[in-house]
Amino acid sequence: MSPKRLEDMYDAVIVGAGAAGLSAALGLLRSPEVAELREQGLDPKILVVSKLQPLRSHTGSAEGGIAASLGNIESDDWHWHYYDTIKGGDWLVDQDAAKLLAEYAPETVINLERQGVAFSRTEDGHIAQRRFGGHTRDFGGEPVKRAAYAADRIGHQILHTLWQQCVAQGVEFAEEWYVTDLVLTEDGSQAAGIVAMDTHTGKIHAIHARNVLIATGGAGRLFHTTSNSWDLTGDGMALALASGLQLEDIEFVQFHPTGLAHTGILLSEAARAEGGILRNAEGEAFMERYAPEHKDLAARDVVSRSIMAEIDAGRGVADPKDPNGPKDCVWLDMTGIDPKRMAQALPQVVETIEQYANLDPAKDLIPIKPTAHYTMGGLPITTDGEVYRWDGTRRTVVDGLFAAGECSCVSVHGANRLGGNSLLDACLFGTRSGRTLAARIVENPAGSPMADDASDELLTAAVDQAADMRNQELDKLLQGSTAAGQSDHGEGDENAYALMARLGSIMERALAVRCSADTIGNALEQLNTSIRPAAEALHAHDKTAAFNQEVTAIWEVRHLIELAEAVLQASDARHESRGSMRRLDFPERDDEHFLAHSMVSADGTVTFKPVIITDYPPKKREY
Ligand SMILES: Cc1cc2nc3c(=O)[nH]c(=O)nc-3n(C[C@H](O)[C@H](O)[C@H](O)COP(=O)(O)OP(=O)(O)OC[C@H]3O[C@@H](n4cnc5c(N)ncnc54)[C@H](O)[C@@H]3O)c2cc1C
């Protein structure tokens, strides 16, 4: 699908069609303000741009559930959810945002149900709920069933439902359009629009808009081993850096302990709950040493760190697919599980192992390693979804610029996210940002007699200029190629895919699960001496612009490089261990100096912003 009215000024352009982008579009269109506008015969002009067909967005991969204290199975209270979220985030959570998250979670889930999400049901017809790590009753007591689910495909259900609702509302989509630039006015105070390439034709478009919302998802592709889909290259975060904005708490990346080696695909915790055991090269069930009480079922970050400690101590194993490769895995031993029980309780795990590793979990040991799963940080936003700058003392909102979902940081996840809270974040804060947008649009709708033409001209000029520059760059990328399939740069030159793999390995060695000043310093050096020059020399091997996926891959790897630098700089500046981040050289949490959000810019400057604490002062960390 391509948009019809491109030459016009849009009221709002939304970049991203996952749970966050689609929730924002629906929040906007269903607001009372827009209903009133429509009664006056004015229809807001909204465009949703997505580099993928919307139903391929990563939201569709979420299996487990969405958290809400519905209390359908066991008694629950949103205050408990609120507390768990703060504690799970190791107290780096802004409590005003977490309060909204927990308080409005039940309403968010019920709204999803009313729109058509087919949740699993209890026998008496209520939405079914299951347990997820870290969700408790009575402020840290016994576990509670809080995650509403739809078999093992909650994300698929949510994504399809929201998309169908958008189609019903007549939302205009630009599908398989890749956004290359976020454009602000010259003084950086206001959003002006975006530049995007229609990948079907290879044509660059200037898209003018009074409001822009970034909902581009996470950045798992920073690491070689990730559970994220191929498209999660942190584009929105890199676009923000490139337009002079900061990223908040970007050093916090959650790793899931059991990713299938070399694919990163998640093997659910259920594999260990059913009796799977982690073993090192010597066959030792090493979790007994690190967590004598919970062993293989200790918290995710504890298991991930223990696996990396074994690998660092030389007790790792090589992936059987690459026997001479690095010994950077450990074994998951499921051979003790009764094969019948395995087929019944773990069908998805068994299928993944058979199809992607060609191994039989009833007989073979399975190579696994921690896999990059979720980006806690991102574009800093207010609880109404507005992107802001931090000058060391106060926030200044960028007019007309919004963000939502995994690419944003409203700071509900702090230093570590609780399972089930990210779909909730994307749907709830996505909807809220859509409503804020609606209120702005009503003040000054495009095409209305109130439209401010002089200011529109300024915005238009800024976007047109950015599009011209992007066009020139595209020409250069294509000129670097000769005939189809050939390169005039000699054989040694690198392609974007190989470079992405190299960057992923560097980041993995530097930051996966644990880091230190040395690992960060090494990575920064390699980034600047080897990766950046290689990225600058990239060119497409085919002259054709239409469907030239190598061109978008070049932009993606360049985005990843800018983001990698920011993540490394923010990690370097945090001299403590907190949540998902373990610094070997600063093993303790340091509330006196680092109970604060990092704010990093493209030039590597890191400043800190206080955490909003309203109800629950930090408690000591429990291991
Ligand atoms: C395997 C897996 C399982 C998960 N399970 C759960 C779970 O059980 N519960 C839970 O709460 N969370 C879970 N999560 C996390 C959760 O699914 C995500 O955080 C959430 O879906 C993110 O939604 P989003 O809308 O922000 O981004 P996404 O759904 O990733 O969508 C991003 C959108 O941005 C677009 N885009 C990106 N860059 C560009 C560009 N340059 N130009 C144009 N468009 C662009 C893409 O096309 C896409 O439409 C899971 C994640 C994974 C990877």
Side-chain angles (χ1 to χ4, degrees):
M1 248 192 292
S2 277
K4 299 179 203 89
R5 303 179 291 191
L6 261 189
E7 69 284 1
D8 296 341
M9 170 67 74
Y10 279 90
D11 284 307
V13 166
I14 295 172
V15 186
L22 299 180
S23 295
L26 291 169
L28 193 167
L29 290 172
R30 293 203 178 118
S31 63
E33 289 92 344
V34 166
E36 216 172 281
L37 204 64
R38 281 175 164 169
E39 271 173 27
Q40 298 165 27
L42 287 168
D43 211 9
K45 278 185 283 194
I46 316 291
L47 178 67
V48 178
V49 187
S50 172
K51 69 176 176 181
L52 304 173
Q53 198 282 335
L55 296 176
R56 288 177 177 262
S57 304
H58 188 68
T59 293
S61 320
E63 295 176 10
I66 174 168
S69 59
L70 295 162
N72 286 353
I73 301 201
E74 296 165 337
S75 75
D76 202 355
D77 185 319
W78 70 259
H79 294 89
W80 301 342
H81 185 188
Y82 174 28
Y83 176 83
D84 290 340
T85 301
I86 295 165
K87 184 178 171 217
D90 216 353
W91 310 93
L92 196 75
V93 168
D94 280 345
Q95 300 190 2
D96 56 340
K99 189 174 194 169
L100 287 169
L101 184 88
E103 188 173 0
Y104 290 99
E107 182 185 301
T108 305
V109 169
I110 288 165
N111 277 340
L112 286 169
E113 183 204 31
R114 292 197 176 141
Q115 293 183 74
V117 172
F119 284 103
S120 295
R121 298 277 161 186
T122 61
E123 285 197 352
D124 61 357
H126 287 86
I127 294 173
Q129 295 183 274
R130 58 163 59 123
R131 263 181 207 161
F132 254 33
H135 290 280
T136 68
R137 52 181 298 125
D138 295 324
F139 306 100
E142 291 297 302
V144 72
K145 292 184 175 164
R146 187 175 288 148
Y149 62 94
D152 58 0
R153 39 181 179 267
I154 182 67
H156 178 93
Q157 275 289 335
I158 291 178
L159 187 63
H160 279 247
T161 301
L162 295 177
W163 180 74
Q164 284 163 5
Q165 291 291 337
C166 283
V167 172
Q169 290 276 339
V171 172
E172 200 176 336
F173 283 96
E175 292 177 359
E176 299 181 324
W177 282 44
Y178 183 87
V179 175
T180 53
D181 300 81
L182 161 66
V183 188
L184 308 181
T185 49
E186 209 181 335
D187 62 358
S189 66
Q190 195 184 339
I194 56 165
V195 178
M197 180 169 93
D198 174 357
T199 62
H200 298 194
T201 59
K203 191 164 179 255
I204 302 277
H205 292 275
I207 304 177
H208 312 117
R210 299 223 181 99
N211 299 286
V212 176
L213 186 141
I214 306 286
T216 48
R221 304 280 311 157
L222 273 174
F223 298 90
H224 193 251
T225 308
T226 174
S227 68
N228 288 191
S229 50
W230 278 83
D231 59 296
L232 289 177
T233 48
D235 293 337
M237 302 174 190
L239 293 178
L241 287 172
S243 40
L245 299 169
Q246 298 151 305
L247 297 178
E248 178 173 359
D249 289 342
I250 199 67
E251 66 272 33
F252 294 104
V253 179
Q254 183 177 74
F255 280 78
H256 192 287
T258 52
L260 185 60
H262 292 284
T263 68
I265 301 173
L266 281 196
L267 297 178
S268 159
E269 225 152 284
R272 281 170 286 137
E274 291 293 332
I277 295 170
L278 296 171
R279 294 187 188 281
N280 60 20
E282 292 153 16
E284 183 203 3
F286 58 85
M287 282 311 299
E288 288 177 11
R289 230 183 320 118
Y290 293 94
E293 196 181 335
H294 298 289
K295 299 184 185 126
D296 293 275
L297 285 175
R300 277 181 193 178
D301 52 338
V302 175
V303 180
S304 293
R305 281 201 291 272
S306 310
I307 295 173
M308 293 311 284
E310 287 302 296
I311 294 168
D312 288 347
R315 292 188 289 270
V317 297
D319 180 355
K321 279 197 168 170
D322 182 16
N324 299 322
K327 295 186 174 168
D328 60 356
C329 306
V330 296
W331 299 121
L332 173 63
D333 177 0
M334 296 168 65
T335 56
I337 308 174
D338 172 50
K340 268 200 205 137
R341 172 76 196 156
M342 187 151 33
Q344 185 197 6
L346 304 168
Q348 172 97 43
V349 173
V350 173
E351 192 184 311
T352 304
I353 293 170
E354 285 173 353
Q355 292 195 355
Y356 291 91
N358 202 18
L359 294 170
D360 175 358
K363 288 198 290 222
D364 303 314
L365 297 179
I366 314 302
I368 59 101
K369 61 181 183 176
T371 184
H373 189 45
Y374 187 82
T375 333
M376 265 74 74
L379 280 82
I381 55 167
T382 66
T383 51
D384 289 324
E386 304 147 303
V387 175
Y388 63 85
R389 286 194 170 81
W390 172 254
D391 67 2
T393 46
R394 62 189 185 97
R395 302 170 168 196
T396 311
V397 163
V398 181
D399 256 359
L401 185 62
F402 298 79
E406 195 168 334
C407 71
S408 70
C409 180
V410 67
S411 191
V412 288
H413 308 301
N416 215 347
R417 165 192 77 110
L418 282 193
N421 267 358
S422 44
L423 285 171
L424 176 61
D425 170 12
C427 293
L428 195 158
F429 287 101
T431 308
R432 284 179 72 92
S433 60
R435 289 191 192 140
T436 320
L437 258 169
R440 267 181 65 90
I441 290 173
V442 168
E443 281 170 24
N444 185 15
S448 79
M450 300 98 84
D452 178 352
D453 292 336
S455 116
D456 275 4
E457 259 172 43
L458 262 180
L459 304 189
T460 307
V463 183
D464 289 348
Q465 194 188 357
D468 282 349
M469 284 168 67
R470 191 52 72 175
N471 250 320
Q472 287 167 22
E473 196 227 346
L474 176 62
D475 281 349
K476 265 199 222 148
L477 286 181
L478 295 172
Q479 273 162 22
S481 55
T482 54
Q486 288 174 20
S487 156
D488 59 359
H489 286 240
E491 269 188 25
D493 67 340
E494 204 159 12
N495 66 53
Y497 307 100
L499 189 59
M500 205 183 284
R502 202 145 68 82
L503 174 68
S505 299
I506 291 172
M507 290 297 280
E508 206 153 291
R509 275 197 300 277
L511 293 182
V513 181
R514 78 278 177 269
C515 62
S516 67
D518 285 348
T519 66
I520 295 168
N522 278 339
L524 278 168
E525 198 192 318
Q526 290 180 64
L527 202 65
N528 288 317
T529 56
S530 163
I531 298 285
R532 272 185 201 284
E536 273 156 33
L538 285 173
H539 62 93
H541 289 75
D542 189 311
K543 266 186 196 306
T544 330
F547 288 110
N548 193 333
Q549 295 187 2
E550 198 179 4
V551 169
T552 42
I554 291 172
W555 286 327
E556 284 177 336
V557 74
R558 288 179 177 171
H559 282 158
L560 281 172
I561 291 167
E562 295 316 315
L563 189 56
E565 165 103 34
V567 174
L568 288 163
Q569 296 289 5
S571 305
D572 196 33
R574 186 171 288 279
H575 294 177
E576 64 157 358
S577 293
R578 182 186 296 272
S580 67
M581 190 174 169
R582 172 77 165 176
R583 281 206 53 157
L584 299 171
D585 41 358
F586 298 101
E588 301 299 325
R589 194 179 87 189
D590 177 359
D591 283 351
E592 198 187 327
H593 300 103
F594 292 101
L595 183 61
H597 302 291
S598 69
M599 303 291 288
V600 63
S601 322
D603 65 3
T605 319
V606 181
T607 53
F608 285 92
K609 182 171 69 86
V611 178
I612 299 173
I613 296 173
T614 51
D615 292 310
Y616 302 111
K619 283 191 182 168
K620 255 187 84 166
R621 191 173 185 182
E622 294 164 17
Y623 288 95

